[in-house]
Amino acid sequence: MTKGKYSLRQISAGGVVFRVLGSGFRICLIGRKKSGRTIWCLPKGHVEKGEPLKATALREVREETGVRGSIFSSLGSIQYSFFDLESQKNVFKTVHFFLIRYERGRLSDHDDEAEHAKWFSVENAFKHIEYPG
C-alpha cells in the first residue's frame, strides 16, 4: 500500500458480545437496513479523541445493542479500504475487536444506529453475518 493512496484513515473498535445460556453460547449481532434488506453485523464505531480502544468497544456495544459487558480478551484487528461517497475520498480503516462478556441490559434499549439487536447461536451467527472477516 502506498502512503498517499488513501485520503482518510479511520480507527474503530467494537465487539463480539457473548453470553452463556443452558443451551450454549449466544452471540449478539445488530441489524442495519441496506438496499431494502437487513444486514447483520458486529457492533462497532469510531474512536473518539483520546478514548482508549477498549472504552470505545464497550461504548459502541452499549449504544448499538443496549447491553453492557466486560472485556474478556482482544480479538485483534481487521483492515479494509473503501470509497466514501460523502467525502469523495478513499478511506483506509482499521477496526479493533474485543470479545465481550454480557453482564446486563436489554436488546430493546439499542440506539437508532441499529434497526435490530438479536442473540444468535454461534452457528446461526456465522450463517447470518454479512461480513465474515
Side-chain angles (χ1 to χ4, degrees):
M1 172 180 66
T2 60
K3 188 173 183 178
K5 184 176 178 182
Y6 298 99
S7 302
L8 296 174
R9 294 186 183 273
Q10 294 179 353
I11 299 175
S12 292
V16 176
V17 183
F18 76 96
R19 70 188 295 185
V20 182
L21 297 174
S23 58
F25 287 93
R26 296 287 182 264
I27 304 290
C28 183
L29 299 180
I30 60 170
R32 293 189 166 132
K33 290 286 186 192
K34 184 175 180 180
S35 302
R37 66 183 189 101
T38 300
I39 303 293
W40 292 99
C41 54
L42 296 170
K44 67 174 177 51
H46 295 285
V47 176
E48 294 180 0
K49 187 174 182 173
E51 185 178 40
L53 293 173
K54 289 180 180 180
T56 300
L58 293 172
R59 176 180 54 77
E60 288 293 337
V61 161
R62 185 181 67 250
E63 290 173 1
E64 295 185 355
T65 68
V67 302
R68 295 177 185 268
S70 58
I71 302 286
F72 186 77
S73 69
S74 172
L75 294 173
S77 62
I78 61 170
Q79 297 179 323
Y80 58 94
S81 59
F82 62 95
F83 184 75
D84 181 53
L85 292 173
E86 186 176 321
S87 68
Q88 294 290 300
K89 294 183 178 180
N90 290 315
V91 178
F92 182 76
K93 186 166 191 162
T94 302
V95 184
H96 300 270
F97 283 105
F98 297 89
L99 187 59
I100 299 174
R101 180 180 307 161
Y102 167 84
E103 291 180 347
R104 67 187 183 280
R106 296 182 323 205
L107 297 181
S108 60
D109 291 337
H110 66 83
D111 67 13
D112 61 0
E113 286 186 53
E115 296 275 332
H116 311 281
K118 184 176 175 182
W119 292 107
F120 289 86
S121 68
V122 174
E123 181 180 306
N124 280 332
F126 281 111
K127 288 179 183 176
H128 283 85
I129 199 160
E130 184 71 18
Y131 309 108

